[in-house]
């Protein structure tokens, strides 16, 4: 059986309708594997169809410019990279009124890679490695065989750098208006919860070191949760970026916010002076994680000095109970008692056997005391919040760090990244994960995948 596919073009009124033969192929009908089109046939069909459509569109555009009054200099070959192969065509050049040459197609084609191809390249490259993205595109689409990981990586970084130019100037404080102005506004019904934490990526320049990537998630009451991420040691506008993210999520000057973090200085400073109605809360998970380490050390001490070890266990239980109920002052007093018992064990000459990890134990106690002291203003009554079903830990942020950073940056494989490269990839990756990347393309290219409203206003259908 022979099949012929033709393309019929209707340019418009008073224009001749043209019919072109696009693709011809033979298919047998007596074997299962020959039923329907194969991937190879469909790729060739799409490539031929794309070539014909592009040629007719470019010809119509040149014709619409009315260039008869200009003297033609000649043609030069141009290649357009599309989702369905590289399209080569002749671009005419004319002499302008100022005797300088110009090409009318430069107005239509600002660059030689179509938005559809750029979109798929960058979207898939955020989810899987660059090399796998190139292989996947070549496997399922008739893209050029020359496409490679470096090309895709450069396209992604160029788009990310262009988006970076739209981030405003950095500020250390953002004005939310006076108290009277905020009180005059209708108060939002519910509080927005924001969690922020850090992950680590191996440095490409110094392969034995790591650099921190800050990631987090905001959960408003009326909108879906969205994530954000950046490299704090590279980004010079981290606070502005964080503020813009919260505003995009609906943060208002009188919005009540609850910021959760592990109490690190850089995370704590990032959250301050963003909103006058915000509350900063120390994550309960990180408190208990540090207490668990102290409990393990106390178990080791019991094997050597049972009396003091059990006394320390009792103090740790009291510390946890006081912190759980928001009494940071009392917890710090018990930390002083912990240090007393450890020093007493170390100086007890009658004690025949000393705990071999007493020095690290003392260091852990000192660090924990300093940790609670520095964050005592962010310790709340966790018991009360828990009873009312409110958030007390950043468990939702731990999962965010995992799927934003670990799953793409190959934490298990110890992949190496430059700070710039990781930061730019994170900007695109978070937009892809938040389903915002297509909207970014619509801003750059107004006719890119236009949204068509159907009869039911509640249903939005995307027209590919």
């Amino acid at each position: 059986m022979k099949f012929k596919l033709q393309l019929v073009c209707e340019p418009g009124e008073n224009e001749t309708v043209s019919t072109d033969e696009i693709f011809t192929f033979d298919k047998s009908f007596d074997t299962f594997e020959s039923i329907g089109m194969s991937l190879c046939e469909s790729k060739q069909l799409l490539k031929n169809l794309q070539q014909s459509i592009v040629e007719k569109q470019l010809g119509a555009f040149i014709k619409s410019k009315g260039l008869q009054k200009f003297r033609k200099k000649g043609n030069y070959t141009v290649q357009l990279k599309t989702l369905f192969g590289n399209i080569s065509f002749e671009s005419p050049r004319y002499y302008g009124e100022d005797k300088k040459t110009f090409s009318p197609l430069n107005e239509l084609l600002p660059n030689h890679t179509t938005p559809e191809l750029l979109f798929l390249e960058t979207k898939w490259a955020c989810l899987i490695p660059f090399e796998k993205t190139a292989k996947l595109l070549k496997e399922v689409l008739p893209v050029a065989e020359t496409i490679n990981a470096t090309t895709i990586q450069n396209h992604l970084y160029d788009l990310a750098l262009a988006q970076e130019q739209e981030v405003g100037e950095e500020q250390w404080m953002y004005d939310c208006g006076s108290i009277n102005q905020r009180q005059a506004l209708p108060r939002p019904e519910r509080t927005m919860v924001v969690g922020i934490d850090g992950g680590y990526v191996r440095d490409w320049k110094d392969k034995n070191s790591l650099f921190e990537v800050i990631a987090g998630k905001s959960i408003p009451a009326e909108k879906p949760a969205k994530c954000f991420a950046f490299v704090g040691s590279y980004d010079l506008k981290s606070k502005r970026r964080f503020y813009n993210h919260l505003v995009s999520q609906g943060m208002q000057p009188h919005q009540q916010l609850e910021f959760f973090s592990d109490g690190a200085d850089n995370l704590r400073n990032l959250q301050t002076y963003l909103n006058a109605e915000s509350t900063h809360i120390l994550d309960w998970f990180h408190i208990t994680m540090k207490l668990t380490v102290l409990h393990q050390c106390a178990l080791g001490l019991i094997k050597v000095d049972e009396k003091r070890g059990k006394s320390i266990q009792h103090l740790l239980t009291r510390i946890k109970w006081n912190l759980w109920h928001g009494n940071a002052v009392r917890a710090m007093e018990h930390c002083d008692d912990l240090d007393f018992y450890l020093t007493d064990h170390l100086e007890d000459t009658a004690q025949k056997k000393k705990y071999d990890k007493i020095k690290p134990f003392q260091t852990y106690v000192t660090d924990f005391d300093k940790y609670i002291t520095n964050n005592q203003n962010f310790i709340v009554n966790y018991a009360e919040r828990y009873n009312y079903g409110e958030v007390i830990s950043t468990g939702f942020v731990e999962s965010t760090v995992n799927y934003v950073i670990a799953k793409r940056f190959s934490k298990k494989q110890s992949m190496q990244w430059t700070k710039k490269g990781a930061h730019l990839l994170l900007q695109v990756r978070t937009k892809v994960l938040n389903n915002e990347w297509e909207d970014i393309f619509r801003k750059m290219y107004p006719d890119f995948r236009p949204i068509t409203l159907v009869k039911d206003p509640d249903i939005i259908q995307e027209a590919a």
Side-chain angles (χ1 to χ4, degrees), residues 164 230-239 241 423 427:
E164 289 289 284
F230 52 87
V231 179
S233 56
Y234 170 83
D235 190 11
L236 300 178
K237 300 179 179 180
S238 55
K239 201 161 193 173
R241 191 183 310 279
H423 175 78
Q427 302 319 302

Side-chain angles (χ1 to χ4, degrees), residues 174-322:
Y174 293 87
D175 185 19
C176 297
S178 66
I179 296 178
N180 293 334
Q181 289 175 331
R182 296 198 304 271
Q183 289 180 346
L185 297 172
R187 182 164 294 279
E189 295 182 0
R190 298 178 61 187
T191 302
M192 182 187 297
V193 177
V194 182
I196 185 168
D197 202 353
Y200 292 90
V201 175
R202 189 166 297 280
D203 196 337
W204 182 81
K205 294 181 178 179
D206 184 3
K207 304 186 188 310
N208 293 324
S209 66
L210 306 171
F211 61 85
E212 185 180 28
V213 173
I214 298 174
K217 178 184 285 188
S218 56
I219 309 177
E222 295 81 13
K223 296 182 178 181
K226 291 185 178 181
C227 59
F228 58 91
F230 52 87
V231 179
S233 56
Y234 170 83
D235 190 11
L236 300 178
K237 300 179 179 180
S238 55
K239 201 161 193 173
R240 165 63 72 175
R241 191 183 310 279
F242 191 22
Y243 178 79
N244 291 347
H245 172 81
L246 296 176
V247 171
S248 69
Q249 282 287 80
M251 183 185 73
Q252 304 175 43
H254 57 301
Q255 177 77 51
Q256 290 185 338
L257 278 87
E258 290 180 349
F259 289 105
F260 287 83
S261 71
D262 61 3
D265 292 339
N266 60 334
L267 301 184
R268 187 168 58 242
N269 295 334
L270 182 66
Q271 304 168 44
T272 56
Y273 302 110
L274 288 176
N275 188 289
E277 303 289 335
S278 61
T279 302
H280 302 269
I281 301 174
L282 183 63
D283 171 40
W284 177 251
F285 169 76
H286 285 85
I287 294 177
T288 56
M289 187 169 59
K290 293 179 179 297
L291 284 171
T292 300
V293 174
L294 297 178
H295 271 289
Q296 293 297 324
C297 291
L299 290 175
L301 180 60
I302 289 176
K303 296 178 181 179
V304 179
D305 190 345
E306 183 177 358
K307 182 178 179 181
R308 291 189 180 92
K310 289 187 176 181
S311 298
I312 288 176
Q313 267 194 333
H314 175 72
L315 282 174
L316 291 173
T317 302
R318 296 302 302 164
I319 289 173
K320 186 173 184 179
W321 188 92
N322 281 284

Side-chain angles (χ1 to χ4, degrees), residues 17 38 44 83 85 95 99 102 106 125 127 147 206 260 271 291 306 322 326 328 338 348 354 357 413 418 421 439 456:
V17 177
S38 66
Q44 187 61 47
L83 201 60
Y95 288 101
K99 296 185 179 181
F102 70 95
N106 287 341
L127 304 175
I147 191 171
D206 184 3
F260 287 83
Q271 304 168 44
L291 284 171
E306 183 177 358
N322 281 284
L338 279 178
D348 187 2
K354 302 293 184 182
K357 294 184 179 179
Q413 300 178 19
T418 63
D439 296 332
D456 187 349

Side-chain angles (χ1 to χ4, degrees), residues 45 67 82 94 114 121 151-152 156 188 197 223 243 269 276 314 335 340 347 359 403 407 412 423 459 461-462:
L45 167 62
L67 301 171
T82 77
Y94 297 86
T114 60
E121 283 182 356
T151 301
I152 294 173
L156 185 144
D197 202 353
K223 296 182 178 181
Y243 178 79
N269 295 334
H314 175 72
C335 285
F340 169 78
E347 296 176 352
K359 289 294 184 180
Y403 76 77
K407 285 191 175 181
K412 293 182 179 179
H423 175 78
I459 300 177
Q461 180 181 10
E462 291 187 1

Side-chain angles (χ1 to χ4, degrees), residues 115-117 119 437-438 441-442 445-451 463:
E116 281 284 352
L117 178 57
F119 177 76
W437 193 229
E438 195 167 313
F441 264 74
R442 288 195 185 98
Y445 308 100
D447 291 331
F448 177 79
R449 295 186 178 182
I451 299 178

Side-chain angles (χ1 to χ4, degrees), residues 33-193:
E33 56 271 20
S34 65
I35 300 300
M37 293 185 64
S38 66
L39 179 61
C40 181
E41 292 166 341
S42 64
K43 288 167 71 173
Q44 187 61 47
L45 167 62
L46 288 172
K47 187 175 182 178
N48 294 351
L49 183 63
Q50 184 83 315
Q51 178 78 42
S52 182
I53 291 176
V54 170
E55 288 177 351
K56 293 184 182 302
Q57 287 177 312
L58 297 182
F61 177 80
I62 295 174
K63 186 177 180 180
S64 68
K65 290 299 179 180
L67 301 171
Q68 294 83 359
K69 61 179 181 179
F70 297 103
R71 185 165 62 93
K72 189 175 181 180
K73 180 182 179 181
N75 298 324
Y76 66 99
T77 303
V78 175
Q79 194 173 71
L80 181 65
K81 299 175 182 178
T82 77
L83 201 60
F84 307 115
N86 289 357
I87 308 301
S88 298
F89 54 90
E90 296 297 317
S91 176
R93 183 172 288 277
Y94 297 86
Y95 288 101
E97 296 177 353
D98 55 359
K99 296 185 179 181
K100 292 183 178 180
T101 61
F102 70 95
S103 175
L105 290 181
N106 287 341
E107 177 187 346
L108 178 64
L109 307 175
N111 57 67
H112 291 172
T113 304
T114 60
E116 281 284 352
L117 178 57
L118 281 176
F119 177 76
L120 277 191
E121 283 182 356
T122 52
K123 180 179 179 180
W124 289 0
C126 290
L127 304 175
I128 58 178
F130 298 115
E131 186 66 33
K132 289 185 178 180
T133 299
K135 290 181 179 179
L136 178 61
L137 285 170
K138 287 188 282 190
E139 180 72 23
V140 300
L141 294 169
V143 296
E145 287 296 322
T146 55
I147 191 171
N148 54 47
T150 302
T151 301
I152 294 173
Q153 184 178 16
N154 291 337
H155 286 167
L156 185 144
Y157 287 171
D158 289 342
L159 288 174
L161 284 171
Q163 293 300 310
E164 289 289 284
Q165 303 301 320
E166 299 184 6
V167 180
E169 295 298 323
E170 178 72 318
Q171 295 177 210
W172 71 277
M173 181 178 69
Y174 293 87
D175 185 19
C176 297
S178 66
I179 296 178
N180 293 334
Q181 289 175 331
R182 296 198 304 271
Q183 289 180 346
L185 297 172
R187 182 164 294 279
E189 295 182 0
R190 298 178 61 187
T191 302
M192 182 187 297
V193 177

